[in-house]
Amino acid sequence: MLHSRWFKTAGAAAALTLATATAAYAAPAPTPAPDHTAAAVTLRYDDSRAAGWEAAIAAGVANWNASVSNVRLVEAAPGTRAEIQIIATTGWPQATLGPVRPGGTARVELGSQAVTQGHDKTRIAAHELGHSLGLPDTKPGPCSQLMSGSTGGTTCKNATPNATERARVQSLYAGGLASLVPADGRVLVDAP
């Protein structure tokens, strides 16, 4: 009987050891596929010094936000820091060439001289914001290219980026913050 108890105890211990070893060397549970979709980069803008341009700015921002998913433009709350400062001026529109990073700085000047000559305010606002997002001018160019700016002509009202412009901004902000290159820093003046 002593032997029988010993065999039972030894058998139970061997079974426990085998179960533990099997669990330790079993194939790990499958890991979920990596999520390559990063959260959109949020950039804040301040248009408190752009009197008379508010509707055009809101429309230009809405066009960009509807066109790209890797970056979002949002109005900065009063008293908070904004990456994009939008200012109304009397000269020609101009902007810092981005892509601007969160915490960075870009300046957009919405010049009334272009409006006086017949250019569309919403197109101007969307075009200048395009510079902040990293797009250079594509002059000369047709009206269908937002970044053709004034060369689209005074009858041009297109304030929406085309497929190539959208893809470029998507590429510049792909992968969230980690992939952002520093802003160029040049100021692009959009006089004809």
Side-chain angles (χ1 to χ4, degrees):
M1 188 138 153
L2 188 56
H3 287 231
S4 139
R5 196 178 297 167
W6 182 85
F7 281 120
K8 283 183 182 176
T9 305
L16 182 61
T17 302
L18 183 58
T20 304
T22 302
Y25 292 102
T31 57
D35 183 9
H36 293 291
T37 59
V41 173
T42 300
L43 299 175
R44 295 168 306 235
Y45 67 90
D46 176 2
D47 64 354
S48 63
R49 296 186 291 160
W53 287 85
E54 296 87 355
I57 294 166
V61 164
N63 287 351
W64 275 110
N65 285 343
S67 298
V68 295
S69 60
N70 288 346
V71 63
R72 294 269 116 333
L73 299 171
V74 298
E75 188 170 3
T80 61
R81 188 181 183 294
E83 287 84 8
I84 304 170
Q85 297 292 321
I86 306 174
I87 301 155
T89 68
T90 57
W92 271 93
Q94 57 184 310
T96 308
L97 180 59
V100 67
R101 294 172 178 258
T105 303
R107 181 178 171 105
V108 169
E109 295 184 12
L110 300 175
S112 62
Q113 190 172 355
V115 177
T116 301
Q117 292 194 10
H119 294 280
D120 182 70
K121 281 180 128 177
T122 301
R123 179 174 168 83
I124 293 168
H127 173 91
E128 299 307 324
L129 288 167
H131 288 319
S132 295
L133 297 175
L135 298 179
D137 287 315
T138 55
K139 295 180 178 181
C143 179
S144 60
Q145 292 177 343
L146 175 61
M147 300 314 292
S148 69
S150 61
T151 64
T154 57
T155 60
C156 180
K157 307 291 185 223
N158 174 37
T160 304
N162 68 18
T164 302
E165 294 162 333
R166 291 189 304 268
R168 178 69 179 140
V169 170
Q170 286 287 99
S171 173
L172 289 170
Y173 288 92
L177 302 177
S179 68
L180 289 179
V181 296
D184 184 294
R186 289 182 291 157
V187 174
L188 302 177
V189 179
D190 289 306

